[in-house]
Amino acid sequence: MKKIKIGNTDLEVAPINLGGNVFGWTLDEKKSFQILDAFVAKGFNFIDTADMYSYWIDGGEGGQSETILGKWMKERGNRKDIVLATKVGGETGTHPVDTSKKHILEAVDKSLQRLQTDYIDLYYTHFDDEKTPVEETLEAYDEIIKAGKVRYIAASNISPERLEASFAASEKNGLPKYEALQPHYNLMEREGYESNYAALAKKYNLTVFPYWSLAAGFLTGKYRSKEDLNKSVRGGSVEKYLTDKGLGVITALDKVAEKHNTSQATVSLAWLLAQPQIGAPIASATSESQLQTLFNAPALQLDAEDLALLNNASN
């Protein structure tokens, strides 16, 4: 499988990024281990989590996902084979969004402890408090990179203006630069990324790892009416997509999936992989059959007709 090099780093990842938000939330430890084992058995190596996952279970400080990942890597003895991404700054039950130096220095040690590792490959600014000077955040990253705790940094929910300011500060002060961007981007959510971030990703050579790649499951095609919303715990979050546009996208996905004898989810991920700067869409899976739809995406080459159909429906 062809690997993708992240930004200007020496990290190479397979083109699907397994989302760890379900570990310890909708998947218990045993099932999480099964999904993780199946994922790496197919040659994939890139796993995404965050320190805040899944604080909403008990309103605490989160860490459930990192804890399960740490146990799994320890038991399998495979830390060196995994490219591990986690995040800092997101709100939990114990603190608001926080990108201060003090918070980052404390949070990284907690993440390392839960992950049972001494380094994180890719460390994201998960959410930006928009009040901490970008220089302060980058100085914190500089400190933990020099200490060997983090290899490279990346950005997720940060405004275009603060992203630009961060690169200016990195350049001026010799501080670490973001190497990747994790935006909200999929066939139902194109405008925000394409208008505000795509040009920046190209300008700064950021590898892009879209989250909510399947629009909370809407792009799997299983939600076609309000009656379908009770099919999963996430059903309520896709109701907003049950519009003429949304159903038009599903119709286009149906056509392309039938043509290639594959699933709508696989087509949705393949569409993302066909876009400039995209490295690996992030998607979670709670069953082996869901995993298979992820595995099939990098092998699916959409032709110009497929892409035009999907682009027109989703514009």
Side-chain angles (χ1 to χ4, degrees), residues 1-308:
M1 192 183 333
K2 188 173 175 240
K3 296 264 177 54
I4 291 119
K5 188 167 164 288
I6 299 178
N8 302 298
T9 76
D10 57 359
L11 300 174
E12 294 194 345
V13 294
I16 291 291
N17 191 182
L18 186 65
N21 59 319
V22 292
F23 304 142
W25 175 28
T26 54
L27 284 187
D28 62 19
E29 185 177 302
K30 184 183 175 189
K31 285 183 180 165
S32 298
F33 277 32
Q34 288 169 357
I35 292 291
L36 287 160
D37 286 340
F39 184 71
V40 297
K42 285 285 188 178
F44 292 89
N45 67 334
F46 192 19
I47 300 170
D48 180 88
T49 187
D51 62 353
M52 69 184 283
Y53 300 157
S54 303
Y55 84 90
W56 47 86
I57 295 171
D58 57 12
E61 72 168 359
Q64 291 91 339
S65 175
E66 288 183 335
T67 299
I68 285 176
L69 268 171
K71 285 184 182 175
W72 174 74
M73 290 188 296
K74 192 79 166 176
E75 280 193 24
R76 301 297 184 261
N78 64 359
R79 173 66 186 96
K80 67 184 187 306
D81 304 318
I82 301 299
V83 175
L84 179 65
T86 191
K87 311 183 195 80
V88 67
E91 172 189 20
T92 70
T94 58
H95 62 78
V97 174
D98 190 348
T99 44
S100 69
K101 185 172 183 178
K102 179 178 183 288
H103 178 70
I104 291 169
L105 296 182
E106 289 171 358
V108 73
D109 287 339
K110 289 180 181 176
S111 285
L112 290 169
Q113 196 171 6
R114 288 188 291 254
L115 291 162
Q116 299 190 51
T117 183
D118 50 14
Y119 70 98
I120 292 158
D121 295 297
L122 195 63
Y123 200 41
Y124 282 93
T125 299
H126 196 178
F127 292 88
D128 180 14
D129 65 19
E130 300 202 333
K131 63 183 183 187
T132 300
V134 294
E135 292 83 358
E136 180 182 326
T137 301
L138 294 168
E139 281 164 9
Y141 291 144
D142 190 43
E143 192 171 313
I144 58 181
I145 288 171
K146 283 175 177 165
K149 296 176 181 181
V150 165
R151 296 190 64 202
Y152 300 102
I153 58 169
S156 187
N157 300 284
I158 179 169
S159 72
E161 296 76 20
R162 294 266 288 181
L163 191 58
E164 287 259 45
S166 297
F167 276 100
S170 299
E171 196 67 46
K172 182 182 173 189
N173 304 300
L175 294 168
K177 291 179 179 172
Y178 291 128
E179 299 289 353
L181 179 68
Q182 187 176 136
H184 185 190
Y185 185 42
N186 57 55
L187 273 165
M188 292 304 300
E189 302 280 355
R190 291 179 56 185
E191 173 68 21
Y193 170 73
E194 290 177 4
S195 296
N196 302 319
Y197 292 96
L200 293 177
K202 186 176 182 184
K203 178 180 177 181
Y204 295 113
N205 191 32
L206 296 170
T207 307
V208 178
F209 303 114
Y211 70 82
W212 289 353
S213 297
L214 296 173
F218 180 74
L219 295 171
T220 64
K222 71 179 176 183
Y223 303 104
R224 294 166 188 261
S225 68
K226 290 199 172 179
E227 290 70 45
D228 293 333
L229 296 176
N230 60 6
K231 285 185 176 179
S232 84
V233 292
R234 299 168 78 185
S237 57
V238 302
E239 186 170 3
K240 64 185 175 188
Y241 297 134
L242 288 173
T243 60
D244 288 346
K245 176 190 168 181
L247 296 172
V249 169
I250 296 298
T251 300
L253 285 171
D254 289 343
K255 285 181 186 168
V256 178
E258 188 177 2
K259 172 178 164 181
H260 293 279
N261 192 27
T262 190
S263 71
Q264 293 90 339
T266 297
V267 173
S268 300
L269 296 172
W271 176 83
L272 278 169
L273 284 165
Q275 307 310 308
Q277 303 292 135
I278 303 297
I282 301 166
S284 53
T286 54
S287 67
E288 302 248 356
S289 63
Q290 285 182 7
L291 263 184
Q292 193 57 51
T293 66
L294 311 189
F295 296 155
N296 293 341
L300 175 58
Q301 292 297 312
L302 300 176
D303 61 30
E305 183 186 24
D306 302 327
L307 292 169

